[in-house]
């Protein structure tokens, strides 16, 4: 007899069943409340010529025996075949246990929908209860089944350094679409985020993500029967994983999200989930100043204090000294590993410098990259064996540096001790944790047999973050990897904010943030106002545009504000004050993404939790020359979540909710007015 369970989220439900044969767990339905009440939209019980039943079934988690041709989630060398054993269920969680009676493998499929969210978390616990070691050639976290009877449309995000989070779509009639990273970090190239909808229905969208800060793979395959199955999990870049008798392995959490409101609705589901992950740390992020683009490696007390004085004057709250503050760090060829403030740069002592910054009324932040080491450093001279390397092979340098093997206990202790020591010794409230090279060497000196380096690195990284948070709860941690190469759900649960890209050029940044906000909540979006023209994107935009753009998440300033005129500083002070008025709503509000960087309409609306206030940040995406000279009607921004009969006002202007929703909020762009913040209050 079939056994069946339904997990309920805020708006959605997820129903699974074990068929009478007990060989797998399968999806019955996943969608809005009530969707399971009817014939399964993904089930299939027809003929399967030249295939097996498991290949065509909406299997939740399959070994290669159950799904030999259509892609298995778990591949055990010498094969494995699971049978249902037992289940434990509650409204918001489920654990279904399977076992292989031949080799002793036990697999517990875990499910949980955190309260108030529409995200189903899935993870698998494997235990080797047999007498012999088991070798796992693939160890996926989950298969998510999506009904796409009329063809699948896949949305994904690609990128490269300085061009992260580019939202793109592909129509998939048949076959496989795959993204991933083999770099030991989620990477710049793709984001561990994917969305699928039926080509004839853009409203119902299913999304997947992965909580894994290492190498990963997401693969969507649409079969001839109209089912799209998304496999998500770690990329086993170090080769198979051996599971010794008695050993237990918990695979990373895969997350599935559903929205009946298109990609924008799906973004809101992810935002609510990440706010849940942040928990009590979802407090207003400070307005920060970061010195990187102003001074690069030429950090010293005088230059930083000159910046800090201006920063304090315009309303900045936290002053972050970026790369270049420690010994041997005149440029990127040395210093990493030796985390002592450079006495030549801080002649009166580092603590005196920090005290001077704090005396301006600012909190203090510091940049670190503790997993990396330059060959030109004391650390490398003392511990050359601490870096990843393959015996007898030359080492690869990226940005003139090597990567420490964080999986080794002594290295993890060093990294934790370094950061913890800095936080204990100096009055630090903010940490920017950077990582500027992928892992190239798949080896550990002297290791015999395969070592899961990726798994050990991520496990220790997470442990260190968790320990630092526990011991220094007031310190805000920004996760950065040469821009946005370390953004995944695992980091969203452990870091407070992400640095999404080194590209702060206004129009490039608009596209980066547009993609980022599809996958990540505003409290995770660190953004700086930098000088024009930008490093990468010289297209002119006003200071107002750059401020409004950086206000879409966590506002920061990265310009050389020593050179700003009194007028520019006064304007900056006005924007910062304005941001402080709206940031609670930016942090906690419901986000509606309106249009996008490639469209005339381009805005983000944040609706306050009590739905009384709508904050709209809007940007002019078109040409500036000639704007306002020729006849043109205003851009109209359709707002969401308003009451049609209610009245909403900006102070000078009033509109009905119906007008704002259907006709849209009018904005007239000119060359001198290319961005705006509009706050509407319900009467
Ligand atoms: C890469 C980061 O993304 C930048 O913001 C900056 O911190 C540099 N590293 C410093 O080396």
């Amino acid at each position: 007899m079939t056994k069946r369970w339904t997990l309920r989220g805020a708006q959605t439900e997820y129903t699974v069943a074990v068929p009478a044969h007990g060989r797998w767990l399968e999806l019955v339905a996943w969608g809005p409340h009530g969707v399971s009440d009817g014939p399964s939209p993904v089930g299939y019980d027809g003929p399967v010529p030249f295939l097996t039943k498991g290949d065509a079934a909406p299997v939740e988690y399959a070994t290669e025996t159950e799904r030999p041709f259509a892609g298995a989630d778990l591949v055990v060398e010498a094969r494995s075949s699971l049978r249902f054993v037992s289940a434990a269920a509650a409204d918001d969680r489920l654990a279904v246990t399977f076992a292989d009676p031949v080799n002793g493998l036990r697999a517990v499929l875990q499910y949980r929908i955190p309260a108030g969210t529409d995200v189903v978390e899935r993870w698998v616990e494997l235990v080797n209860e047999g007498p012999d070691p088991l070798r796992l050639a693939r160890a996926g976290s989950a298969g998510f089944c999506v009904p796409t009877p009329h063809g699948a449309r896949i949305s994904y995000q690609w990128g490269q350094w300085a061009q992260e989070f580019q939202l793109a779509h592909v129509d998939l009639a048949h076959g496989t679409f795959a993204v991933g990273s083999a770099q030991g970090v989620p990477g710049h190239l793709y984001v561990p985020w994917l969305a699928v909808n039926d080509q004839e229905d853009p409203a119902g969208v299913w999304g997947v993500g992965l909580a894994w800060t290492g190498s990963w793979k997401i693969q969507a395959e649409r079969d001839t029967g109209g089912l799209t199955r998304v496999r998500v999990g770690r990329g086993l870049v170090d080769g198979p994983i051996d599971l010794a008798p008695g050993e237990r392995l918990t695979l990373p959490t895969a997350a599935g999200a559903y929205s009946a409101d298109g990609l924008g609705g799906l973004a809101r589901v992810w935002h609510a989930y990440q706010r849940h992950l942040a928990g009590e740390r979802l407090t207003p992020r400070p307005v920060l100043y970061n010195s990187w683009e102003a001074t690069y490696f030429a950090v010293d007390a005088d230059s930083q204090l000159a910046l800090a004085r201006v920063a304090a004057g315009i309303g900045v709250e936290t002053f972050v000294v970026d790369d270049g503050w420690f010994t041997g760090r005149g440029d990127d060829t040395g210093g990493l590993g030796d985390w002592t403030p450079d006495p030549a740069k801080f002649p009166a002592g580092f603590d005196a410098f920090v005290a001077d910054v704090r005396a301006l009324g600012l909190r203090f932040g510091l940049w670190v990259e503790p997993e990396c080491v330059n060959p030109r450093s004391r650390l490398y001279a003392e511990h050359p064996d601490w870096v990843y390397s393959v015996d007898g092979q030359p080492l690869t340098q990226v940005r003139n540096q090597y990567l420490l093997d964080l999986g080794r206990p002594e290295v993890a202790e060093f990294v934790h001790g370094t950061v913890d020591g800095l936080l204990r010794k100096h009055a630090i409230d903010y940490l920017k944790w950077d990582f500027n090279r992928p892992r190239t060497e798949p080896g550990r000196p002297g290791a015999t047999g395969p070592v899961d380096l990726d798994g050990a690195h991520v496990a220790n990284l997470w442990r260190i973050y968790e320990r630092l948070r526990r011991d220094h709860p007031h310190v805000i941690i920004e996760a950065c990897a040469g821009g946005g190469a370390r953004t995944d759900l695992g980091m969203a649960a452990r870091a407070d904010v992400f640095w999404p890209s080194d590209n702060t050029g206004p129009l490039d940044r608009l596209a980066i943030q547009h993609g980022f906000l599809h996958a990540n909540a505003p409290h995770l979006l660190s953004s700086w106002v930098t000088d024009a023209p930008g490093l990468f994107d010289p297209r002119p935009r006003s200071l107002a545009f750059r401020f409004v753009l950086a206000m879409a998440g966590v506002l920061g300033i990265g310009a050389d504000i020593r050179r700003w005129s009194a007028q520019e500083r006064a304007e900056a002070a006005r924007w910062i004050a304005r941001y402080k008025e709206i940031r609670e709503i930016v942090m906690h509000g419901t986000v509606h993404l309106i249009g996008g960087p490639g469209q005339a309409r381009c805005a983000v609306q944040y609706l306050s939790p009590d739905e009384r206030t709508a904050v709209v940040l809007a940007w002019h995406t078109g040409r500036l020359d000639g704007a306002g000279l020729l006849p043109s009607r205003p851009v109209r921004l359709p707002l969401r979540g308003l009451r049609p009969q209610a009245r909403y006002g900006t102070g000078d202007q009033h509109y009905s909710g119906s007008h704002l929703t259907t006709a849209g909020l009018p904005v007239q762009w000119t060359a001198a007015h290319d961005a705006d913040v509009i706050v509407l209050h319900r009467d």
Side-chain angles (χ1 to χ4, degrees), residues 161 164 188 290 292-293 296-297 322-324 329 332 336 367-369 399 401 432 434-436 478 480-484 499-503 528:
W161 174 71
E164 299 87 336
H188 298 95
N290 180 294
W292 177 240
E293 287 201 21
Y296 292 106
F297 296 101
D322 208 280
D323 198 352
R329 195 63 173 169
D332 66 11
L336 290 178
W367 176 96
V368 289
E369 191 182 357
R399 206 194 191 205
Q401 64 201 51
K432 177 174 169 190
D434 204 349
F435 179 95
N436 282 297
E478 176 176 6
C480 167
W499 178 239
S501 180
D502 282 346
N503 191 339
W528 307 339

Side-chain angles (χ1 to χ4, degrees), residues 209-222:
L210 183 68
W212 188 248
T213 313
S215 299
W216 59 278
K217 190 161 187 185
I218 298 181
Q219 191 163 321
E221 180 160 17
R222 183 174 181 275

Side-chain angles (χ1 to χ4, degrees), residues 7 92-94 110-114 119-121 123 276:
L7 289 109
D92 64 340
R93 61 183 64 219
L94 171 70
Q110 297 278 5
Y111 291 78
R112 189 171 75 105
I113 301 188
V119 169
V120 52
E121 297 178 333
W123 69 101
H276 149 81

Side-chain angles (χ1 to χ4, degrees), residues 468-508:
L468 292 172
R469 262 192 172 186
R470 193 193 60 217
D471 296 342
H472 308 278
H474 70 287
V475 176
I476 291 177
I477 307 184
E478 176 176 6
C480 167
R486 215 175 219 176
T487 57
D488 71 284
L489 293 172
M491 270 286 114
R494 292 169 179 85
D496 298 295
V497 64
F498 293 147
W499 178 239
S501 180
D502 282 346
N503 191 339
T504 52
L507 290 172
D508 280 355

Side-chain angles (χ1 to χ4, degrees), residues 6-61:
T6 296
L7 289 109
R8 284 174 74 82
Q11 316 276 341
T12 53
E13 64 188 37
Y14 194 95
T15 300
V16 289
V18 179
H21 56 64
R23 291 174 58 200
W24 59 72
L25 182 69
E26 66 181 41
L27 182 70
V28 175
W30 177 20
H33 286 163
V35 69
S36 321
D37 189 6
S40 167
V42 288
Y44 179 73
D45 206 20
V48 285
F50 225 80
L51 283 172
T52 70
K53 288 264 182 207
D55 285 306
V59 179
E60 285 285 283
Y61 195 74

Side-chain angles (χ1 to χ4, degrees), residues 157 164-165 185-188 191-193 210-214 270-271 273-275 277-278 281-282 285-286 288 290 322 367 430-435 461-462 465 469 476-504 509 512-513 515-528 549-550 552-556 579 587:
Q157 298 190 19
E164 299 87 336
F165 301 104
V185 278
H188 298 95
V191 179
W193 172 97
L210 183 68
W212 188 248
T213 313
W270 287 123
H271 295 177
Y273 178 62
Q274 287 157 344
R275 287 168 179 169
L277 292 179
R281 294 186 69 96
L282 194 63
R285 307 310 191 225
L288 66 79
N290 180 294
D322 208 280
W367 176 96
Y430 191 102
L431 199 66
K432 177 174 169 190
W433 184 310
D434 204 349
F435 179 95
L461 180 77
W462 285 2
Y465 264 72
R469 262 192 172 186
I476 291 177
I477 307 184
E478 176 176 6
C480 167
R486 215 175 219 176
T487 57
D488 71 284
L489 293 172
M491 270 286 114
R494 292 169 179 85
D496 298 295
V497 64
F498 293 147
W499 178 239
S501 180
D502 282 346
N503 191 339
T504 52
R509 188 73 174 196
I512 290 165
Q513 295 190 178
F516 184 92
L517 285 174
H518 275 81
N520 298 287
H523 73 270
L524 292 166
L525 170 59
S526 175
S527 195
W528 307 339
L549 190 54
V554 178
L555 173 62
Y579 177 70
M587 291 268 300

